[in-house]
């Protein structure tokens, strides 16, 4: 019972990594040793039985808790924090509803990524490796790697700025950049002590962010009525181009491309019998609940930051901040020109203005929160890179080699800017990095919708008509918003050479996105678009690789 589509796909794999098909009725369960890839975590967390609570069990929810919180860290990285504080200072509370909407959309998209990993036992990069031909597969890998490197650079910048603030300038920015190399290797050894301890450590870092940014929230005491109004009433009275661009930036900062690959892999860390439909449904349910809780917490932390800067600094001018910092003898008062232009802040200036208006403790506590955000997102970014490289290229690099490569690529330009330029240029890189990641978003969202809509891959767990339509609309909206953000950024460059270069790259970019969209539409059910080699992409094949078809023959749940 061999499908030629999968034979074609398997030929791209090295001999020793080709899946061993075993589809006899005597062996209905997937063979672990036949899986071409193993989870990044050697440990599998067992799921306890709870016969007394058939529909919901806190014991089971606790067993599934972990992957969603690691995924939620991408919603709290330094890029997101900077987007939050700029949103508050530029638009006050008026864009909180955009943050809420973006978080909900992010949750729905993360649900698709988690279901892919749970149902198939393969994460998104592994699935791309099997379903796409060689050239598109390599292009996809390069695009995702660019997104990971861009995110990594933002995390390095955030950590370096935090260390500079905490040391009152004693540690220069370039020194902070170098320190992030060392501490990343140190933290990555934590998973040697067990997966649950690693997840607990990430939970500790999230708690630090909640406490530090929560302190700033309590210290500033925002207007609760205005906060709730901005969160639940979609309006933006008196808003112009700066507020619109900030709203677009919020969406781009919240929904990260590499996070889809990360989440689909993290869910493989639980011991789930994939030949048992009941266990798959149960895992999907608990993972969704856990992700909802994790993203709710991350949303609250983001709200803390937006509200602090909306209450304290919305409508402030550079001159007001300049004199306030001068009166408090702040050594960084020269960061703010003595003019009446609206205040513009970033994660560095944000800490400075908090110190000028609310005292030194506010500055140092802010820096601790930024450091926790940078360190936690650095580690999850490294895991994302590992999953992507293993999945797309079948490469099993050591953790040291993987971190050394990606961290070197991320740190080299950051270090050069930190040495030869000032903090203004370093934080200014975030705009470019946000654009870079916005461009890569279709290369995560389109594949995840494609594969989760294929009955040949997901069996009865494939997206229904409602999810196909809703998912397609959401991805179209998110990608359109991000493309607008890119156009605005390129338009502001103001040089003909940039326009020509952007035009040439746009043609190639849009052609590849159109190719992926074509395959996605076929997967969504538009069969009249099938032609040529569509059938060789595995889109119509039966997934004997996962043995999902044998689930129909299961009369009872298999023992763990």
């Amino acid at each position: 019972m061999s499908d030629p589509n999968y034979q074609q796909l398997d030929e791209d794999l090295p001999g020793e990594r080709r899946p061993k098909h075993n589809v006899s009725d005597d062996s209905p369960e997937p063979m672990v040793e036949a899986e071409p890839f193993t989870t990044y975590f050697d440990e599998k967390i067992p799921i306890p039985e709870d016969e007394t609570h058939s529909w919901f069990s806190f014991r089971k929810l606790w067993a599934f808790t972990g992957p969603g919180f690691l995924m939620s860290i991408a919603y709290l990285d330094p890029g997101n924090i900077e987007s939050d504080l700029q949103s508050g200072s530029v638009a006050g509370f008026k864009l909180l509803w955009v943050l809420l909407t973006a978080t909900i959309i992010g949750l729905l998209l993360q649900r698709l990524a988690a279901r892919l990993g749970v149902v198939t036992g393969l994460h998104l990069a592994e699935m791309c490796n099997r379903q796409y031909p060689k050239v598109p597969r390599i292009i996809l890998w390069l695009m995702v790697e660019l997104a990971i490197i861009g995110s990594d650079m933002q995390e390095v910048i955030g950590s370096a700025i935090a260390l500079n603030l905490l040391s009152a300038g004693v540690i220069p920015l370039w020194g902070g950049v170098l320190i992030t190399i060392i501490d990343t290797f140190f933290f990555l050894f934590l998973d040697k002590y067990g997966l649950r301890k690693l997840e607990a450590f990430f939970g500790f870092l999230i708690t630090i962010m909640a406490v530090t940014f929560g302190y700033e929230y309590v210290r500033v005491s925002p207007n609760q009525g205005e906060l709730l109004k901005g969160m639940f009433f979609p309006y933006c009275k008196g808003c112009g181009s700066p507020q619109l661009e900030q709203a677009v930036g919020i969406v781009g900062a919240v929904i990260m491309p590499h996070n889809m690959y990360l989440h689909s892999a993290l869910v493989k860390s639980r011991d789930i019998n994939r030949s048992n439909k009941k266990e798959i449904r149960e895992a999907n349910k608990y993972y969704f609940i856990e992700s909802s809780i994790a993203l709710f917490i991350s949303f609250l932390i983001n709200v803390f930051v937006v509200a602090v800067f909306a209450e304290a600094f919305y409508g402030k001018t550079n001159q007001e901040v300049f004199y306030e910092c001068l009166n408090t003898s702040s050594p960084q008062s020269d960061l703010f020109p003595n003019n009446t232009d609206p205040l513009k802040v970033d994660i560095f200036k944000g800490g400075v203005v908090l110190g000028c208006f609310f005292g030194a403790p506010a500055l140092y506590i802010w820096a601790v929160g930024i450091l926790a955000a940078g360190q936690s997102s650095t580690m999850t970014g490294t895991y994302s890179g590992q999953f992507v490289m293993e999945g797309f290229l079948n490469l099993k690099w050591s953790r040291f080699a993987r971190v050394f490569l990606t961290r070197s690529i991320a740190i080299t330009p950051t270090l050069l800017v930190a040495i030869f330029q000032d903090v203004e240029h370093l934080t200014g890189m975030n705009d470019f990095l946000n654009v870079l990641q916005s461009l890569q978003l279709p290369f995560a969202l389109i594949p995840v919708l494609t594969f989760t809509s294929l009955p040949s891959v997901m069996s009865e767990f494939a997206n229904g008509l409602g999810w196909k339509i809703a998912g397609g609309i959401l991805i179209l909206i998110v990608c359109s918003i991000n493309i607008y953000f890119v156009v605005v950024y390129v338009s502001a460059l103001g040089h003909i050479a940039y326009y020509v270069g952007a035009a040439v790259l746009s043609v190639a970019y849009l052609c590849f996105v159109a190719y992926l969209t074509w395959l996605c539409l076929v997967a969504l059910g538009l069969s009249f678009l099938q032609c040529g080699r569509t059938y060789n992409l595995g889109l119509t094949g039966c997934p004997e690789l996962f043995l999902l078809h044998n689930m129909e023959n299961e009369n009872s749940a298999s023992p763990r």
Side-chain angles (χ1 to χ4, degrees):
M1 183 176 173
S2 177
D3 191 290
N5 300 324
Y6 275 91
Q7 287 179 353
Q8 183 266 332
L9 291 170
D10 293 345
E11 288 172 0
D12 293 335
L13 299 177
E16 68 274 15
R17 293 193 183 277
R18 292 177 187 170
K20 302 175 184 177
H21 302 291
N22 186 344
V23 295
S24 66
D25 293 336
D26 297 333
S27 317
E29 293 187 26
M31 298 175 60
V32 175
E33 66 271 18
E35 293 183 2
F37 302 104
T38 59
T39 179
Y40 183 64
F41 306 105
D42 296 330
E43 180 183 357
K44 290 273 190 178
I45 304 299
I47 307 302
E49 297 292 344
D50 193 344
E51 301 295 340
T52 58
H53 303 87
S54 58
W55 188 83
F56 181 81
S57 167
F58 281 103
R59 288 182 62 208
K60 287 189 175 182
L61 178 61
W62 178 249
F64 281 105
T65 296
F69 280 88
L70 268 68
M71 170 272 296
S72 72
I73 285 172
Y75 291 71
L76 295 168
D77 71 350
N80 271 286
I81 301 301
E82 182 162 284
S83 175
D84 293 336
L85 64 91
Q86 290 174 343
S87 169
S89 63
V90 169
F93 299 99
K94 298 175 185 177
L95 296 181
L96 278 173
W97 65 273
V98 177
L99 177 62
L100 175 61
T101 304
T103 304
I104 293 173
I105 292 175
L107 172 63
L108 297 178
L109 295 175
Q110 295 294 161
R111 174 187 179 272
L112 296 180
R115 284 172 67 86
L116 180 68
V118 169
V119 174
T120 66
L122 299 174
H123 58 69
L124 183 54
E126 293 170 336
M127 190 62 69
C128 289
N129 184 31
R130 284 156 180 73
Q131 299 288 5
Y132 291 125
K134 185 175 183 180
V135 173
R137 187 166 69 226
I138 293 175
I139 296 174
L140 265 178
W141 169 67
L142 291 173
M143 294 298 101
V144 177
E145 286 289 354
L146 277 177
I148 293 172
I149 291 170
S151 176
D152 205 23
M153 289 177 68
Q154 287 184 313
E155 292 143 11
V156 169
I157 291 170
S159 297
I161 288 174
L163 291 170
N164 182 267
L165 288 172
L166 283 172
S167 64
V170 174
I171 298 177
L173 290 173
W174 61 266
V177 170
L178 293 176
I179 289 174
T180 59
I181 304 176
I182 302 170
D183 58 25
T184 300
F185 285 106
F186 171 76
F187 287 128
L188 284 175
F189 285 114
L190 287 175
D191 67 350
K192 295 297 184 182
Y193 294 96
L195 180 54
R196 294 302 266 176
K197 290 183 176 64
L198 176 70
E199 292 173 346
F201 179 72
F202 279 103
F204 172 69
L205 292 177
I206 294 174
T207 303
I208 290 177
M209 286 184 269
V211 171
T212 53
F213 298 136
Y215 167 84
E216 308 288 357
Y217 181 86
V218 173
R219 180 71 177 82
V220 175
S221 300
N223 185 313
Q224 302 302 305
E226 288 296 316
L227 186 150
L228 293 175
K229 185 179 177 182
M231 187 180 299
F232 296 109
F233 290 90
Y235 80 112
C236 195
K237 184 178 179 181
C239 291
S241 180
Q243 288 77 21
L244 176 61
E245 291 176 18
Q246 193 58 52
V248 171
I250 291 173
V251 178
V254 167
I255 302 174
M256 310 277 284
H258 68 276
N259 217 28
M260 298 294 158
Y261 292 87
L262 174 68
H263 198 194
S264 65
L266 292 173
V267 296
K268 294 170 59 178
S269 60
R270 268 50 183 179
D271 188 13
I272 302 167
N273 180 7
R274 291 183 175 81
S275 67
N276 188 328
K277 293 180 184 178
K278 179 176 178 293
E279 289 196 22
I280 293 179
R281 290 194 190 95
E282 185 178 76
N284 286 331
K285 176 180 72 176
Y286 283 110
Y287 273 134
F288 183 69
I289 294 172
E290 184 239 0
S291 297
S292 301
I293 295 171
L295 288 188
F296 176 71
I297 293 172
S298 72
F299 172 71
L300 289 181
I301 295 173
N302 282 309
V303 168
F304 289 161
V305 178
V306 175
V308 165
F309 284 83
E311 181 70 27
F313 306 113
Y314 174 55
K316 286 279 194 302
T317 64
N318 286 324
Q319 190 174 68
E320 292 176 89
V321 177
F322 172 78
Y323 282 117
E324 186 67 29
C325 290
L326 204 61
N327 292 335
T328 57
S329 302
S330 170
Q332 284 98 6
S333 58
D334 58 345
L335 286 173
F336 309 97
N338 188 7
N339 59 38
T340 56
D341 291 344
L343 173 67
K344 292 184 178 180
V345 289
D346 48 47
I347 52 178
F348 183 80
K349 289 182 179 178
V352 173
V353 295
L354 285 172
C356 292
F357 281 81
F358 301 102
L363 184 154
Y364 291 115
I365 291 173
W366 168 263
V368 170
I370 295 297
L371 185 61
Q375 292 304 308
S376 57
S377 52
T378 290
M379 288 181 280
T380 55
T382 301
Y383 290 134
S384 299
Q386 189 76 23
F387 295 140
V388 166
M389 180 168 283
E390 290 179 358
F392 275 107
L393 304 181
N394 298 339
L395 291 180
K396 295 290 183 180
W397 283 23
S398 70
R399 187 169 306 138
F400 176 87
R402 169 69 207 178
V403 175
F404 182 79
L405 174 65
T406 56
R407 187 45 52 105
S408 298
I409 296 173
I411 278 180
T412 301
T414 311
L415 186 61
L416 291 175
V417 174
I419 292 174
F420 297 108
Q421 300 290 342
D422 53 19
V423 69
E424 295 272 353
H425 292 84
L426 192 62
T427 55
M429 289 179 66
N430 275 327
D431 291 336
F432 170 75
L433 296 174
N434 284 334
V435 168
L436 179 66
Q437 293 178 83
S438 295
L439 284 171
Q440 314 311 320
L441 203 53
F443 306 130
L445 300 187
I446 294 176
V448 79
L449 179 62
T450 300
F451 302 140
T452 55
S453 298
L454 286 171
S456 61
V457 171
M458 299 288 287
S459 186
E460 69 179 57
F461 299 99
N463 296 329
L465 180 61
W467 267 102
K468 289 179 180 179
I469 295 174
I473 292 173
L474 288 178
I475 290 174
L476 179 62
I477 291 173
V478 170
C479 291
S480 299
I481 288 173
N482 281 274
I483 293 300
Y484 172 80
F485 179 65
V486 174
V487 170
V488 169
Y489 178 82
V490 173
S491 300
L493 295 177
H495 195 286
I496 188 65
Y498 292 127
Y499 297 153
V500 173
V504 173
L505 292 175
S506 295
V507 172
Y509 175 83
L510 292 175
C511 286
F512 188 56
V513 171
Y515 170 79
L516 296 178
T517 303
W518 165 57
L519 296 181
C520 184
L521 291 174
V522 173
L524 292 176
L526 301 182
S527 56
F528 66 89
L529 293 175
Q530 292 181 354
C531 61
R533 292 179 58 82
T534 304
Y535 290 97
N536 292 330
L537 299 175
L539 295 176
T540 58
C542 297
E544 59 263 35
L545 178 63
F546 317 126
L547 304 180
L548 292 176
H549 57 285
N550 283 321
M551 289 196 280
E552 297 294 343
N553 300 324
E554 292 294 311
N555 297 321
S556 59
S558 302
R560 290 187 186 279

